[in-house]
Amino acid sequence: MTDFPSPSSSLGQPCRHEALLTLPAQEAHVSAARHFAADLLETWSVPAGQRDSAVLIVDELTANAARYGRERMTLLLVLDDGTLHIVVTDSGMAVERRRPAVAPDEHGRGTGIVQYLAQSTEVRQTRGGREVRACLRCSP
């Protein structure tokens, strides 16, 4: 985990915060990503309603990364000028693999919920896997 706050300028500009978490691409680690995001966004003073939406987005995206990723998944959170950027990458391709049964709260409910909550979403296949970005406006 890494948190990189950028100091406010003397002109009162908002801080930019960044945090990165890398975990094994396993469904058992989805709750760790969710708790990491919830705690961090509270520390960054993201309002409760937007924090709840962001945590749900993190849950959905990391559940998909855990299900389809091969080795690792990475969660990047960037709060910049009132916009939260949530970026989840995994080292997988679009091939589904069978997983042992886990608790229902550890399963994503699809990208529809992410698209509903986020102002924008983007999915890219990269050389090393897949990257999913969601942006959420966070106003005080």
Side-chain angles (χ1 to χ4, degrees):
M1 168 191 78
T2 310
D3 182 11
F4 303 105
S6 299
S8 297
S9 74
S10 59
L11 299 175
Q13 301 252 340
C15 282
R16 174 185 164 98
H17 296 281
E18 282 187 36
L20 181 67
L21 178 67
T22 300
L23 296 167
Q26 299 169 355
E27 291 180 11
H29 294 284
V30 171
S31 64
R34 186 174 57 243
H35 291 294
F36 169 78
D39 292 346
L40 190 65
L41 296 176
E42 184 175 5
T43 300
W44 290 352
S45 301
V46 172
Q50 290 139 348
R51 185 171 61 237
D52 292 345
S53 293
V55 169
L56 185 53
I57 290 170
V58 167
D59 185 60
E60 296 299 326
L61 296 182
T62 58
N64 286 339
R67 196 166 310 129
Y68 302 115
R70 291 195 177 124
E71 298 168 9
R72 69 190 174 290
M73 59 182 169
T74 301
L75 169 63
L76 172 65
L77 298 172
V78 178
L79 180 60
D80 189 21
D81 196 25
T83 299
L84 178 64
H85 304 269
I86 302 167
V87 183
V88 176
T89 57
D90 65 57
S91 54
M93 303 307 278
V95 177
E96 183 174 348
R97 42 187 187 140
R98 298 183 61 87
R99 296 279 190 157
V102 295
D105 68 335
E106 297 300 321
H107 285 282
R109 289 169 291 282
T111 57
I113 206 162
V114 173
Q115 292 172 344
Y116 176 78
L117 293 171
Q119 275 66 52
S120 66
T121 60
E122 178 185 357
V123 179
R124 291 184 330 128
Q125 191 67 39
T126 66
R127 179 183 272 169
R130 189 176 27 255
E131 175 183 277
V132 182
R133 296 175 169 265
C135 294
L136 180 66
R137 193 83 185 129
C138 293
S139 55

